[in-house]
Amino acid sequence: MPRRSQSVNQDLYTKGGIITERDPDFCIVRLRMPAGMISPEQMKGLGEIAARHGIEKIHLTTRQTMELPHVETPKLEVLVDDLACNGTPLGAEREEVVNVTACLGTRYCKFGIIDSVGLAEEIDKKFFGKELPVKVRIAISSCPNGCESERLNEIGITGIQRPIRDPGLCTGCGTCTHYCREKAISVQDGIVVLQQDMCMECGFCIKPCPFHLIRGTDPEYRITVGGHRGRHPKIGRHLIDVKTHEDVIRVVDKIIYWIYRQASSGSLLPEQLDELEFDEFKKTIFRMVEG
């Protein structure tokens, strides 16, 4: 059994953000930081907290949060209180919804289709830390570039936008063909042809049109389920495309409810979905959303 100071509140060790090190007298403290966003004031405060508690380094994680390593167990309670007051509270790591990640989206990125940061903050407020039979990672990419590797998460959300062309007005100049990374657009006999099966619905061909003849559908959200990184990476499977933030929250809510009621502990969610008929899982989620 790990050697732990009797002066430490043992309830702290049930929190996913507290990770025992190889030397059990020390812990790693992981923070909650949806979309990896932190203000300059919080960053400064975090540095001051770390220095005050004798923490020499801060680790930046792959899930857009930070960890304070090698924390002496007697200091945990005061440290956790200090972090909460700084607006950088204790995070999650166990069988629960962990830090929600996102790219910078339409707030900052020229390729963005959806407000991924705002959506991540909304999902974090509703679902972060919810205890489940399995760990659930949620990631959001504002476009199919997939900078957040969202399809390698238990729940992935991708912004998409379909191009709409007016063949009667198009001059066939071919400008859009140079911006299509999938080579899905070609000019044949002076007419632009889109191979729909090759289109990633990224919207990259829309803005460059010099005559503004290419329009885009309203942004949509593609939701995938059952992705995983780790030892045996797996790409999530397409579940549904929806049109609004509210629709995304509703679908994510039903997926998490299904996981809470139906998933079992001891194996990863992708493995459990492999054992089920995915089409049946899909129908179940659809019925729950429609209901």
Side-chain angles (χ1 to χ4, degrees):
M1 289 290 291
R3 305 185 308 275
R4 290 172 180 163
S5 169
Q6 295 303 310
S7 63
V8 178
N9 180 355
Q10 294 300 306
D11 287 342
L12 272 179
Y13 291 101
T14 67
K15 307 295 184 183
I18 304 293
I19 307 164
T20 304
E21 290 187 6
R22 296 180 71 171
D23 180 345
D25 285 334
F26 294 88
C27 290
I28 301 165
V29 177
R30 181 170 293 178
L31 308 184
R32 175 182 180 181
M33 205 170 287
M37 303 299 278
I38 182 171
S39 71
E41 292 77 14
Q42 289 171 330
M43 182 77 81
K44 180 182 177 183
L46 191 56
E48 292 172 349
I49 291 168
R52 190 160 62 245
H53 289 273
I55 299 163
E56 297 180 355
K57 301 285 186 180
I58 296 176
H59 177 229
L60 305 180
T61 77
T62 57
R63 289 209 62 80
Q64 295 186 337
T65 182
M66 297 183 184
E67 292 175 337
L68 307 180
H70 215 54
V71 177
E72 297 176 35
T73 54
K75 295 181 177 180
L76 276 175
E77 287 187 71
V78 176
L79 173 62
V80 169
D81 288 343
D82 287 348
L83 291 170
C85 291
N86 189 54
T88 50
L90 193 62
E93 165 58 18
R94 297 179 185 160
E95 286 70 29
E96 54 196 338
V97 177
V98 299
N99 202 57
V100 182
T101 65
C103 65
L104 290 174
T106 51
R107 295 189 184 186
Y108 307 104
C109 179
K110 62 184 178 182
F111 298 123
I113 296 174
I114 60 172
D115 179 12
S116 47
V117 174
L119 182 56
E121 291 170 343
E122 201 171 333
I123 290 173
D124 169 85
K125 283 181 184 176
K126 187 170 179 63
F127 302 110
F128 175 83
K130 181 174 178 59
E131 294 184 12
L132 297 167
V134 294
K135 183 188 295 187
V136 172
R137 305 164 185 85
I138 303 174
I140 307 163
S141 284
S142 186
C143 77
N145 267 354
C147 295
E148 263 320 295
S149 300
E150 74 286 359
R151 283 159 282 185
L152 292 176
N153 284 258
E154 280 77 9
I155 301 175
I157 301 159
T158 311
I160 58 172
Q161 188 174 35
R162 301 179 180 89
I164 303 174
R165 288 167 171 72
D166 188 335
L169 295 176
C170 178
T171 65
C173 71
T175 301
C176 55
T177 66
H178 299 294
Y179 287 88
C180 179
R181 298 184 180 184
E182 306 306 313
K183 307 300 181 186
I185 308 173
S186 59
V187 178
Q188 300 176 13
D189 299 324
I191 299 173
V192 171
V193 177
L194 171 67
Q195 290 183 252
Q196 195 66 53
D197 60 328
M198 295 174 63
C199 178
M200 286 283 288
E201 299 173 343
C202 62
F204 287 8
C205 62
I206 296 170
K207 291 181 181 178
C209 178
F211 304 105
H212 308 294
L213 297 177
I214 303 176
R215 295 175 292 111
T217 60
D218 290 336
E220 294 186 20
Y221 306 78
R222 177 157 292 160
I223 301 175
T224 54
V225 179
H228 183 64
R229 285 175 172 167
R231 296 164 68 101
H232 303 285
K234 192 176 186 67
I235 296 176
R237 284 175 276 197
H238 177 226
L239 179 69
I240 190 173
D241 295 344
V242 297
K243 297 182 181 299
T244 67
H245 268 212
E246 293 74 24
D247 289 338
V248 175
I249 298 296
R250 204 148 54 96
V251 173
V252 171
D253 181 60
K254 300 309 179 188
I255 296 170
I256 290 176
Y257 180 77
W258 183 92
I259 294 170
Y260 181 76
R261 295 298 300 269
Q262 302 292 333
S264 57
S265 58
S267 64
L268 299 170
L269 180 63
E271 295 170 356
Q272 297 186 49
L273 291 178
D274 284 342
E275 295 168 3
L276 300 169
E277 285 290 339
F278 185 74
D279 287 343
E280 288 302 313
F281 166 79
K282 198 170 182 176
K283 289 176 185 176
T284 300
I285 298 298
F286 280 19
R287 284 196 297 267
M288 293 167 70
V289 171
E290 290 167 359

